[in-house]
């Protein structure tokens, strides 16, 4: 192999080429990427609840003096400061983070006050950053309080020309107050927002009783408090487990009320929707449900929202109970949503981990204690420096005549003052910088008063730093002051003037027990129909009974596959060769005026998968499921019902697929294989299961299971020949054997297709 030609004067190839296995190189680089994603992008810090980009936005705004009292500045200016000084990434990602901090429907306590179009709950995006302006909210100043008093550590920025904080002082538990979400490499986080006042009350409880349990904390923090309100219907036991482990979920529903419209009619008005649900998407979803006839009880939907949310839902009939209507819509639409909870955060050492609510609050309190002690030491250093100067000034006042003489007649007064009175450079400079007007008697008294006050403050700080109890007491006092401040901050969504932390926006309730399915069925007119399914999968429903199937017309090359009598109120079950059951409402099937519609458009069924059986659901009935491999079991028909378009996997099969799905009607069961051998055994040997593979029914050297028959021993076995005639089988007992046996060849005269019934 020829060596690469290097430019003149350059290093040899050994300095430019690293010889290492590709797997090691990829692993090392991917690990570096993963760690960067986890620590610097996706997961928030448990102490201030912020990701680096949000922390940098707030710190940059603080440096720009964009306080609540100041005038707002262009967001483009803020984004430029953040990108140029702290966050070397795309300007759009920075602006998106800034916008979220200002959205009152995203943040429980907004940290940025935006002026201009910052998006809305419909899902519309914010205006470009050159059109919008921003400044910090009062809550943001609470997170930054003490940042200039050595409250936290700083690190060099990406270019080494400046410094940025590792974490903000965080005056309130922002992690749980505003929540967070993010996806890292191999892990994710999803934290719902909470009521800040309730969180501070829980912190006060932990300060009084560090052994308080999660259940005790839930007395103070009953659950999330979403900025868009809503009704939380998650059971308390589930919430307790979620907050104990840090993982779980919260079900939240839209808040609604009934409005009478006269003459016995009414309409439903939705005033609050679940968190992170776009209102426009919700309206579109409800309209689609009406068009597709999936929401049988809903007649119309209108969006009459202005500043407040107002979605109007009209029932299809005034006889529909409003609770039944809403329960049906909660099942079908985003009027009910589940917010996943995964409190995956970075601890004080930067290590990711899942925490329960107690761990998260304890980590926050430990951070507040550290901030308190660091600010106290910073203040102590300032006091010591000031006392040092005051001590020098007091010496000057006690020896005023000598000090004046030295200053007036000595060539080097500073050195003489230091030599005469034992002063330091700082004290001598302070004396020399003193103006004549400050030599008055009143000024001396003011210095003595300041000196006494500082000595008292210093002693108090030293006593506090020496006592853990006093430190925790001051942490609690500070949180109480922050709580009072938060109570005064008005949330932008509170049109009635409710304070941010005073009243929770979300409420808690138990989901009512309503049989919405029964109510929907009650709305359907019950009449007999005949379901026609062709071999190519076109389905339709004809009214009444079809006496002569030969008169049915199909597309060219197609013919009748299944002819099923049913009623409009029935649920149609379709069993496929891959072991799945699908459920269709008979009232939703296309009419028989045409050729119908492809059933594969209604359910997720691959073209290669065959339909084995079609029948209407009947409660209390049982079915025998079996695969071509010869395995099967008994299943209650209720287990076949599925609301999903993808169906429900019930029978475990291999590539050969399912063999049959028979109604269990007797105490004996007969099976026949492709080899023509029949085996009969008691039905009680079949296990009853909701799903699975089942037990071995018959053994085969070649081929597999072809057909089965369930019957009563009293009436005897039978088969139906190819001409459709019933043939009684008197000698069937000779074929009785043990389940999983090989069986005996079928009797003479048995159907040539080796089936008990024509397929």
């Amino acid at each position: 192999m020829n060596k690469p030609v290097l430019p003149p004067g350059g290093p040899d190839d050994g300095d430019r080429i690293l010889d290492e296995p590709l797997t090691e190189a990829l692993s090392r680089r991917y690990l570096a990427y993963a760690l960067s994603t986890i620590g610097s992008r996706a997961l928030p810090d448990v102490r201030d609840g912020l990701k680096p980009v949000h922390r940098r936005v707030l710190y940059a705004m603080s440096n720009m003096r964009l306080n609540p009292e100041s005038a707002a500045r262009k967001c483009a200016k803020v984004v430029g400061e953040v990108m140029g000084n702290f966050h070397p990434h795309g300007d759009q990602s920075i602006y998106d983070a800034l916008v979220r901090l200002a959205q009152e429907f995203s943040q429980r306590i907004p940290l940025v006050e935006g002026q201009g179009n910052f998006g809305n709950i419909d899902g519309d995006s914010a205006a470009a950053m050159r059109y919008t302006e921003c400044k910090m909210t009062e809550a943001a100043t609470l997170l930054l309080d003490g940042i200039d008093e050595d409250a936290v550590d700083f690190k060099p920025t990406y270019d080494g020309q400046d410094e940025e904080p590792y974490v903000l002082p965080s005056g309130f538990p922002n992690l749980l107050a505003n929540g967070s979400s993010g996806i890292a490499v191999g892990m994710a986080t999803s934290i719902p927002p909470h009521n800040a006042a309730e969180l501070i009350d829980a912190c006060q409880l932990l300060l009084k009783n560090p052994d308080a349990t999660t259940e005790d904390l839930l007395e103070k923090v009953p659950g999330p408090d979403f900025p868009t309100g809503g009704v939380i219907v998650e059971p308390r036991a589930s919430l307790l487990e979620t907050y104990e482990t840090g993982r779980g979920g919260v079900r939240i529903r839209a808040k609604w009320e009934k409005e009478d419209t006269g003459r016995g009619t009414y309409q439903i008005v939705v005033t609050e929707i679940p968190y992170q649900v776009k209102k426009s998407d919700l309206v579109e979803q409800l309209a689609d449900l009406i068009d597709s006839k999936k929401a049988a009880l809903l007649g119309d939907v209108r969006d009459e929202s202005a500043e407040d949310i107002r979605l109007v839902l009209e029932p299809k009939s005034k006889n529909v109970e409003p609770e039944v209507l809403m329960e049906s819509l909660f099942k079908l639409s985003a009027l009910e949503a589940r917010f996943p909870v995964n409190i995956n955060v970075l601890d004080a050492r930067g290590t990711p981990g899942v925490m329960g609510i107690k761990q998260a609050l304890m980590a926050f309190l430990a951070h507040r204690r550290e901030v308190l002690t660091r600010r106290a030491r910073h203040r102590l250093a300032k006091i010591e420096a000031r006392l040092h100067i005051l001590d020098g000034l007091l010496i000057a006042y006690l020896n005023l005549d000598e000090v004046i003489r030295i200053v007036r007649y000595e060539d080097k007064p500073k050195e003489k003052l230091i030599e005469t009175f034992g002063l330091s450079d700082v004290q001598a400079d302070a004396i020399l910088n003193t103006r004549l007007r400050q030599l008055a008697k009143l000024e001396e008294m003011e210095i003595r008063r300041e000196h006494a006050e500082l000595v008292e403050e210093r002693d108090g700080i030293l006593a506090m730093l020496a006592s853990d109890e006093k430190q925790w007491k001051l942490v609690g006092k500070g949180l109480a002051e922050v709580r009072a401040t938060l109570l005064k901050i008005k949330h932008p969504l509170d049109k009635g003037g409710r304070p941010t932390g005073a009243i929770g926006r979300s409420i808690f309730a138990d989901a009512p027990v309503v049989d919405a399915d029964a109510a929907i069925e009650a709305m359907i007119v019950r009449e007999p129909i005949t379901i026609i399914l062709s071999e190519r999968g076109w389905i339709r429903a004809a009214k009444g009974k079809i006496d002569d199937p030969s008169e049915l017309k199909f597309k060219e090359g197609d013919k009748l596959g299944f002819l099923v009598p049913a009623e409009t109120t029935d649920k149609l079950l379709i069993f496929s060769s891959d072991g799945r059951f699908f459920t269709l409402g008979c009232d939703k099937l296309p009419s028989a005026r045409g050729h119908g519609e492809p059933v594969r458009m209604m359910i997720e069924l691959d073209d290669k998968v065959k339909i084995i059986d079609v029948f209407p659901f009947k409660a209390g009935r049982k079915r025998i499921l079996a695969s071509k491999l010869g395995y099967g079991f008994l299943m209650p028909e209720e287990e076949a019902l599925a609301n999903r378009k993808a169906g429900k996997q019930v029978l475990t099969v291999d590539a050969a697929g399912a063999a049959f799905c028979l109604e269990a009607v007797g105490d004996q069961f007969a099976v026949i294989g492709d080899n023509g051998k029949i085996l009969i055994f008691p039905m009680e040997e079949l296990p009853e299961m909701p799903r699975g593979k089942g037990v071995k029914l018959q053994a085969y050297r070649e081929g597999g299971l072809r057909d089965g028959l369930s019957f009563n021993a009293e009436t005897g076995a039978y088969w139906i020949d190819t001409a459709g005639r019933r043939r009684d089988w008197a000698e069937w007992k000779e074929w009785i054997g043990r389940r999983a046996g090989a069986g005996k060849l079928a009797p003479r005269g048995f159907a040539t297709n080796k089936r008990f019934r024509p397929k």
Side-chain angles (χ1 to χ4, degrees):
M1 180 177 178
N2 296 328
K3 290 186 176 181
V5 179
L6 300 174
D12 59 27
D13 59 332
D15 291 334
R16 299 183 60 176
I17 300 175
L18 291 176
D19 187 8
E20 63 177 329
L22 179 62
T23 55
E24 292 184 11
L26 289 176
S27 298
R28 187 169 62 254
R29 285 160 177 76
Y30 189 75
L31 178 61
Y33 162 73
L35 292 175
S36 173
T37 302
I38 293 169
S40 302
R41 186 186 303 174
L43 300 188
D45 193 295
V46 69
R47 295 168 291 180
D48 62 4
L50 298 173
K51 300 177 186 178
V53 62
H54 303 108
R55 189 178 299 117
R56 288 163 176 167
V57 166
L58 293 179
Y59 184 61
M61 294 177 74
S62 174
N63 289 345
M64 295 172 68
R65 302 291 188 267
L66 293 179
N67 301 315
E69 301 80 17
S70 64
R73 299 283 297 275
K74 286 286 187 183
C75 290
K77 174 70 173 176
V78 176
V79 170
E81 287 288 321
V82 175
M83 184 168 58
N85 296 334
F86 308 112
H87 200 70
H89 300 282
D91 57 348
Q92 192 58 46
S93 64
I94 299 172
Y95 184 53
D96 289 344
L98 187 153
V99 166
R100 178 174 170 77
L101 292 177
Q103 290 177 332
E104 64 275 3
F105 52 87
S106 296
Q107 297 286 107
R108 185 61 183 83
I109 305 178
L111 302 177
V112 172
E113 182 181 337
Q115 296 181 9
N117 177 14
F118 275 77
N120 55 38
I121 200 168
D122 276 332
D124 298 329
S125 58
M129 65 183 81
R130 61 183 178 273
Y131 299 122
T132 55
E133 297 180 345
C134 66
K135 60 181 179 179
M136 291 190 299
T137 63
E138 197 171 345
T141 62
L142 295 175
L143 294 181
L144 289 155
D145 187 28
I147 193 77
D148 297 326
E149 299 176 16
D150 193 36
V152 293
D153 289 329
F154 281 71
K155 61 182 178 181
T157 56
Y158 69 94
D159 58 1
Q161 296 186 15
D162 205 343
E163 287 188 329
E164 62 175 312
Y166 278 102
V167 66
L168 297 187
S170 189
F172 62 91
N174 180 61
L175 174 74
L176 295 172
N178 274 322
S180 183
S181 63
I183 301 175
V185 178
M187 60 181 66
T189 186
S190 180
I191 306 170
H194 296 76
N195 187 285
E198 294 173 352
L199 291 172
I200 291 176
D201 291 341
C203 289
Q204 298 285 18
L205 175 62
L206 286 173
L207 290 175
K208 294 178 181 177
N209 179 20
D211 296 326
T213 63
T214 303
E215 190 170 3
D216 296 333
L217 294 177
L218 290 192
E219 295 295 328
K220 302 293 184 180
V221 186
D225 189 17
F226 297 102
T228 53
V231 181
I232 297 173
V233 294
E234 192 69 24
R236 180 176 173 81
S238 176
L239 286 173
L240 179 60
E241 183 180 358
T242 296
Y243 283 112
E244 182 71 37
T245 62
R247 285 194 176 98
V250 178
R251 279 198 307 152
I252 181 168
R253 291 181 167 184
K255 186 178 180 181
W256 60 275
E257 56 190 25
K258 175 184 173 183
E259 278 189 3
D260 291 326
T261 53
R263 297 183 179 179
T265 61
Y266 71 92
Q267 63 185 17
I268 299 294
V269 177
V270 175
T271 56
E272 296 176 1
I273 62 176
Y275 183 54
Q276 293 183 340
V277 171
K278 297 178 181 178
K279 178 164 62 68
S280 58
D281 291 350
L282 176 60
V283 174
E284 184 178 351
Q285 183 187 33
L286 291 172
D288 289 342
L289 289 174
I290 296 174
D291 293 340
S292 61
K293 299 182 180 179
K294 292 182 179 178
L297 305 180
L298 182 62
D300 190 20
V301 56
R302 299 191 307 275
D303 185 4
E304 299 180 356
S305 305
E307 290 185 0
D308 298 327
I309 292 177
R310 181 180 169 85
L311 295 183
V312 179
L313 309 178
E314 291 186 358
K316 185 166 284 188
S317 168
K318 65 180 182 180
N319 297 324
V320 178
E321 292 293 330
E323 291 79 10
V324 175
L325 169 61
M326 293 307 297
E327 284 300 315
S328 67
L329 294 180
F330 287 145
K331 290 183 178 180
L332 296 170
S333 71
L335 285 171
E336 176 178 305
R338 184 180 185 274
F339 188 92
V341 178
N342 183 19
I343 311 178
N344 195 1
V345 293
L346 301 174
D347 63 15
R349 297 176 297 176
T351 305
V354 178
M355 296 185 180
I357 186 172
K358 181 177 180 179
Q359 289 175 281
L361 291 178
M362 291 295 282
F364 166 75
L365 289 173
H367 174 60
R368 287 302 303 164
R369 180 189 181 187
E370 183 180 359
V371 168
L372 173 73
T373 55
R374 290 184 61 143
R375 292 181 69 180
R377 293 190 182 96
H378 180 268
R379 175 61 181 162
L380 186 62
K382 291 286 186 77
I383 291 174
E384 294 287 2
R386 180 61 179 164
L387 285 175
H388 184 63
I389 292 173
L390 293 178
D391 288 338
L393 292 176
L394 287 175
I395 291 175
Y397 279 110
L398 292 174
N399 303 276
L400 188 57
D401 293 338
E402 180 63 16
V403 169
I404 292 174
R405 188 195 66 77
I406 292 174
V407 172
R408 184 173 182 180
Y409 296 108
E410 294 292 336
D411 294 333
K412 297 181 178 180
K414 180 177 179 179
E415 288 78 355
K416 188 64 176 178
L417 286 172
I418 292 174
E419 178 185 351
T420 304
F421 301 108
L423 304 175
S424 66
D425 281 353
V426 175
Q427 290 174 322
D429 286 336
I431 292 172
L432 293 173
N433 291 331
T434 302
R435 297 178 181 180
L436 287 174
R437 70 176 63 179
Q438 293 176 318
L439 299 178
K441 185 70 175 177
L442 289 176
E443 188 66 27
E444 178 184 354
M445 295 173 61
E446 181 64 25
I447 290 174
R448 290 185 180 278
R449 184 192 63 77
E450 181 185 357
H451 188 280
E453 290 178 355
L454 290 177
V455 168
E456 183 180 358
E457 184 180 355
R458 180 192 63 186
D459 293 342
I461 292 175
L462 290 173
M464 183 270 291
L465 291 175
S467 170
D468 292 344
E469 183 180 350
K470 290 183 178 180
Q471 291 173 20
W472 288 121
K473 187 175 181 179
L474 280 177
V475 168
K477 182 180 179 182
L479 288 175
E481 294 172 354
V482 168
R483 188 184 192 280
T485 302
L486 289 175
L487 291 178
K488 299 174 184 177
I489 301 175
K490 299 294 188 291
H491 193 284
L493 285 182
D494 288 325
K495 309 303 180 185
R498 286 191 306 175
T500 293
I503 303 175
R505 299 196 59 80
S506 299
I507 61 175
F508 294 83
D510 295 327
V513 180
V514 175
D515 191 352
D517 293 336
I520 293 173
E521 290 179 6
M523 295 289 294
I524 302 170
V525 178
R526 184 174 182 176
E527 56 185 10
I529 58 172
T530 301
I531 298 166
I532 307 157
L533 179 62
S534 73
E535 281 195 348
R536 291 189 175 179
W538 287 74
I539 193 169
R540 48 188 159 151
K543 292 184 178 180
K545 181 182 178 182
I546 295 178
D547 297 321
D548 188 3
S550 62
E551 295 182 358
L552 294 173
K553 295 182 180 180
F554 299 91
K555 287 179 175 290
E556 187 176 350
D558 201 1
K559 60 181 181 179
L560 181 63
F562 296 90
L563 195 67
V564 183
E567 293 181 340
T568 51
T569 55
D570 286 337
K571 294 178 181 177
L572 186 68
L573 293 177
I574 300 175
F575 181 61
S576 62
S577 60
D578 60 358
R580 285 186 295 167
F581 274 102
F582 302 89
T583 307
L584 293 176
C586 289
D587 62 305
K588 297 180 176 64
L589 296 177
S591 69
R593 292 178 181 176
H595 294 112
E597 296 178 8
V599 72
R600 298 176 197 272
M601 297 289 289
M602 304 176 186
I603 57 178
E604 295 179 5
L605 187 65
D606 191 83
D607 291 339
K608 297 179 181 179
V609 179
K610 297 180 180 179
I611 294 176
I612 301 295
D613 204 353
V614 180
F615 53 91
F617 165 75
K618 184 177 180 181
R621 192 163 57 182
K622 296 182 181 180
R623 289 267 164 182
I624 302 170
L625 305 184
S627 64
K628 291 290 290 182
L629 279 176
Y631 288 84
F633 60 90
L634 201 63
M635 178 203 71
E637 207 162 289
E638 286 81 1
E639 296 293 339
L641 293 174
N643 293 322
R644 297 170 60 242
K645 196 174 181 180
K648 183 177 182 180
Q649 188 71 46
V650 175
L651 179 64
T652 303
V653 297
D654 66 345
F660 53 75
C661 171
L662 301 176
E663 182 181 355
V665 295
D667 54 10
Q668 301 293 319
F669 188 55
V671 290
I672 184 171
D674 294 331
N675 56 11
K677 291 185 177 182
I678 296 177
L679 175 67
I680 301 175
F681 55 85
M683 187 81 75
E684 61 185 18
E685 294 187 19
L686 279 177
E688 186 172 321
M689 303 164 56
R691 65 184 64 84
K693 180 179 180 181
V695 296
K696 187 80 171 176
L697 304 180
Q698 189 177 14
Y700 315 101
R701 288 186 179 180
E702 294 180 357
L705 180 62
R706 176 166 293 199
D707 199 8
L709 175 73
S710 63
F711 62 94
N712 278 310
E714 293 182 1
T715 57
Y718 64 93
W719 72 83
I720 298 176
D721 60 21
T722 53
R725 295 170 299 190
R726 177 180 171 123
R727 302 286 298 273
D728 291 328
W729 184 11
E731 301 84 10
W732 63 269
K733 292 184 179 179
E734 296 180 14
W735 276 260
I736 293 178
R738 298 184 62 182
R739 180 182 56 78
K744 295 166 56 178
L745 285 173
R748 183 174 297 180
F750 193 80
T752 56
N753 61 2
K754 300 177 184 178
R755 292 185 178 276
F756 293 103
R757 301 182 190 84
K759 190 174 181 182

